[in-house]
Amino acid sequence: MTLPHPTTDQISLPIVLAVLGDPTRLAIVRYLASKEGVPLNCSKFLDLASKTNLSYHLAKLREAGVTRTEAVGTSRLITLRRDDLDRRFPGLLDSVIAAAGDDKALPMVGTADTEIDA
Amino acid sequence: MTLPHPTTDQISLPIVLAVLGDPTRLAIVRYLASKEGVPLNCSKFLDLASKTNLSYHLAKLREAGVTRTEAVGTSRLITLRRDDLDRRFPGLLDSVIAAAGDDKALPMVGTADTEIDA
C-alpha cells in the first residue's frame, strides 16, 4: 500500500514549520534524525502518544513532506526525508534538529527496540 | 507602555516553529529581516491582513519571542529578536529567512514607506 506524500517541490515552508511546531512531532523528528537511514516502525513512538494521537502526528509529518511512511504488511516504517528537505530548505532541518537536541522540554522516545525488519 | 515578552531562556522551539508556520507571519519576519535594525511601524504590514488579524499575528510573534514590540505613543514599533533567537537556536532564523526569501507563495509586504520616527 502506498500512502500519499508530497513531491519535493510541493513541500511548503509554512506547513513544514507548523508541523514541526509541536513537541511530540519534534521528538519524533529528533529521534528519526538520531537513527538516520534506519526505517523505524511507528510503534517505536508509542510512548510519546496514544495510538490514535500517534497516527495523527505521523500523518501530519508525512503530509507535510517531513517523513516518508512505507506500509509493509500491517507495519508502517518511517524515515526522515532529509535529502528532500535539505534541497528545499538548506540548513533548516539541521538547525531544528540541533535546537531540539538541546531541548529538555521535549518528550523522550523510549529505548525499547521495537523496530521490525523491513 | 511595555508589552510582555518572553526572556531569551523562555523562548521555546516548538512555539517558535508553530508561530513561524503561517504565511502571513513568515512574510512579516522576512520583511523585518530585510530591514534589520530598523524598528518598523506595525502599519507597514496592513496590506498583509486586516488590522484585527495583524494585531493577532504580531501578538503571536511577540509572545513567542520572535519579535519585540515597543509601544511609542499610539504606534507600535516592531523589531526581530535576531540575537536572542540566534543564541537559543543557532542557524534556525537564517535558514527560515533564506527559505522564505525564495518562497513565491508567501504574501508580499507593500512598498509604501509608512515607518514613523521612533
Side-chain angles (χ1 to χ4, degrees), chain A residues 12-15 17-18 20-23 26 88-93 95-96 98-103 106, chain B residues 12-15 17-18 20-23 26 88-93 95-96 98-103 106:
Chain A
S12 147
L13 179 64
I15 293 173
L17 293 172
L20 291 176
D22 174 273
L26 269 180
R88 290 283 283 129
F89 316 124
L92 178 65
L93 189 62
S95 61
V96 168
D102 295 335
D103 193 337
L106 295 183
Chain B
S12 147
L13 179 64
I15 292 173
L17 293 171
L20 291 175
D22 173 274
L26 269 180
R88 289 284 284 131
F89 316 124
L92 179 65
L93 189 63
S95 61
V96 167
D102 295 335
D103 193 336
L106 295 183

Side-chain angles (χ1 to χ4, degrees), chain A residues 22-28 30 47-48 103-110:
Chain A
D22 174 273
T24 302
R25 295 194 288 265
L26 269 180
I28 292 171
R30 174 172 69 177
D47 42 358
L48 291 180
D103 193 337
K104 291 178 180 59
L106 295 183
M108 291 292 290
V109 175

Side-chain angles (χ1 to χ4, degrees), chain A residues 11-94:
Chain A
I11 297 176
S12 147
L13 179 64
I15 293 173
V16 165
L17 293 172
V19 159
L20 291 176
D22 174 273
T24 302
R25 295 194 288 265
L26 269 180
I28 292 171
V29 167
R30 174 172 69 177
Y31 193 78
L32 286 169
S34 76
K35 303 280 180 189
E36 224 167 315
V38 183
L40 293 182
N41 191 309
C42 63
S43 63
K44 186 74 191 173
F45 302 108
L46 272 175
D47 42 358
L48 291 180
S50 69
K51 206 164 178 177
T52 307
N53 280 339
L54 183 61
S55 289
Y56 167 78
H57 287 308
L58 291 172
K60 295 291 269 184
L61 287 166
R62 171 176 55 77
E63 288 162 4
V66 175
T67 56
R68 191 170 293 284
T69 302
E70 197 189 351
V72 178
T74 57
S75 295
R76 306 224 155 174
L77 300 178
I78 320 290
T79 47
L80 199 55
R81 291 180 66 178
R82 170 176 279 281
D83 289 350
D84 295 333
L85 291 167
D86 284 350
R87 201 171 324 144
R88 290 283 283 129
F89 316 124
L92 178 65
L93 189 62
D94 277 335

Side-chain angles (χ1 to χ4, degrees), chain B residues 9-106:
Chain B
D9 286 344
Q10 285 170 337
I11 298 176
S12 147
L13 179 64
I15 292 173
V16 165
L17 293 171
V19 159
L20 291 175
D22 173 274
T24 302
R25 294 194 288 264
L26 269 180
I28 292 171
V29 167
R30 175 172 67 177
Y31 192 77
L32 286 169
S34 76
K35 305 280 181 191
E36 223 167 314
V38 183
L40 292 182
N41 191 308
C42 63
S43 63
K44 186 74 191 173
F45 302 108
L46 273 175
D47 43 356
L48 291 180
S50 70
K51 206 164 178 176
T52 308
N53 280 339
L54 183 60
S55 288
Y56 168 77
H57 287 307
L58 290 173
K60 294 290 268 184
L61 287 166
R62 172 177 54 77
E63 289 162 3
V66 176
T67 56
R68 191 170 293 284
T69 302
E70 198 189 350
V72 178
T74 58
S75 295
R76 305 224 157 175
L77 299 178
I78 321 288
T79 47
L80 200 55
R81 291 181 66 177
R82 170 177 280 280
D83 289 350
D84 295 332
L85 291 166
D86 284 351
R87 201 171 324 145
R88 289 284 284 131
F89 316 124
L92 179 65
L93 189 63
D94 278 335
S95 61
V96 167
I97 290 166
D102 295 335
D103 193 336
K104 291 179 182 55
L106 295 183

